[in-house]
Amino acid sequence: MKDKILTFIIIGIIAIMGNWVGYDVSPIDALPGMMIIVAVTILGFFFAKISPIKLPIVVWVSMLALLVTTPIFPGNASIIKVTEQVNFMALATPILAYAGLSFGKDLKEFKKLGWRIVVISLVVYTGTFLLSTLVAEIGFRLSGKFH
Amino acid sequence: MEGNSLRNWKIHLFVLILVCVTEFIGVKTFNIGIGAIALFPMLYALIIGAIISLPSLKILKMKEMNVAANILGISFMLFVAKLGMLMGPSLPKIFDAGISLGLQEVGHFAGTILLGLPIALLLGMKREAVGATFSIDREPNLAIIAEKYGSDSPEGRGALGVYVCGTLFGALYLSVLASFLAQTGWFHPISLAMGAGVGSGSMMAAMSGALAVIFPESAKDIAVFAGAANLITTILGTYICVFFSLPLTNYLYKKFEPILGRKSKKDQMKNIGA
């Protein structure tokens, strides 16, 4: 747990730097928001650990983050205001950087695969994205929302 | 996820450099005739990171790449927290889109099977097709298949194959597909954003990034709805896969394998190990 908290802080610092370089938000302005994001994430991990209901950690973190920014939570307006300083794209870039750096580990496994499974995997990912987008679009057009 | 292995300064330092350099380059769009291709920091970070990790360059050890994969899951949590904080104030809007948001989940779960299974059968795959197409084959789905058929079964090999391809190329492929679909003008940015909630961290991050680059004025909505859809996909995932996706894939396999599947012995021989 201690190592995870340290990791959150390191990634937070990296994202603050990215937020500065890419979105011109000075680290001083972004720091309070990032501290709240890190704190909520740690709390999410903590709840996932102590809760008798077994839910993925992602669900705990999301629900907690959602809760503290809804109007029923005291101070939600200031939480929204300071976390707005952290661009969501700045938090996504480190994810893809870590993903990139882990690329080599599966290459050996990949070379053993036949071409069919490679084609099918692309079809599978196309299917899940395309069909859900299509259903959402039909839903919006039928209900007249956002159009 | 062993605790100590997370303190790998070499990996964190590489990520810090990658983030700063790629954010500095920023968004670049290229027109390639059929449409513009949007390149953005996340994609550069993914590709340069992948090149650094190539085993032939000997920059990273296998152990360090495994550490990077572990930290990837942890870094996604901070992203999810940020998305959750965008969702709180947008709750009325999320409820307003409730019907579409609920229905499109059917698309997430059925899409892999409806598009994947017929093509897999036409290509001559046998039971591998069930494992390969019943879901997007991330870790929780692999566990379901391993429990039911064993990892070394044809179903297990099919699932593992898609898992490996998805880990390597899923985020890159889906973000390119997302920018392509976004430029057709057929879909509302929010529909595409919901579609991006595929239930895998790096893929969802890369797709919502691609969409936000193409629709900068809707960036916040894209983050909100990709996050919401991804959350629902994650919550429902295991249950739907066990009680709906796998039985449906098996049922459709029995029905359509005799029609679409190739029957000759030679083909069957070729498919062993595919």
Side-chain angles (χ1 to χ4, degrees), chain B residues 50-196:
Chain B
I51 295 170
I52 292 172
S53 81
L54 286 178
S56 53
L57 294 182
K58 295 196 169 74
I59 299 170
L60 295 179
K61 293 191 200 83
M62 196 52 108
K63 212 179 102 197
E64 289 164 329
M65 291 186 238
N66 283 320
V67 172
N70 280 348
I71 306 175
L72 154 68
I74 292 175
S75 67
F76 181 62
M77 298 299 162
L78 291 174
F79 182 65
V80 156
K82 168 67 194 171
L83 293 189
M85 289 173 185
L86 291 172
M87 276 187 244
S90 306
L91 268 187
K93 201 169 183 180
I94 294 177
F95 284 125
D96 198 36
I99 296 172
S100 277
L101 188 56
L103 284 179
Q104 60 84 33
E105 284 303 328
V106 178
H108 272 133
F109 291 110
T112 64
I113 308 165
L114 296 185
L115 205 64
L117 189 62
I119 298 181
L121 292 178
L122 284 172
L123 288 179
M125 286 171 82
K126 299 293 162 193
R127 291 295 296 174
E128 286 91 357
V130 173
T133 65
F134 90 109
S135 73
I136 60 165
D137 292 313
R138 303 322 297 158
E139 285 89 345
N141 314 110
L142 287 188
I144 293 169
I145 286 285
E147 198 174 298
K148 178 136 190 189
Y149 301 103
S151 315
D152 212 25
S153 59
E155 294 86 351
R157 282 195 300 274
L160 189 70
V162 173
Y163 170 79
V164 169
C165 295
T167 307
L168 289 174
F169 304 111
L172 184 64
Y173 171 71
L174 279 174
S175 70
V176 172
L177 185 66
S179 18
F180 176 73
L181 274 187
Q183 290 178 70
T184 60
W186 300 338
F187 303 105
H188 192 280
I190 293 182
S191 308
L192 290 158
M194 287 181 183

Side-chain angles (χ1 to χ4, degrees), chain A residues 3 93 98 104 116 126 128 137, chain B residues 7 12 108 123 173 188 191:
Chain A
D3 273 303
T93 309
Y98 288 111
R116 286 185 184 81
T126 309
T128 190
E137 183 68 23
Chain B
R7 283 191 212 181
H12 289 304
H108 272 133
L123 288 179
Y173 171 71
H188 192 280
S191 308

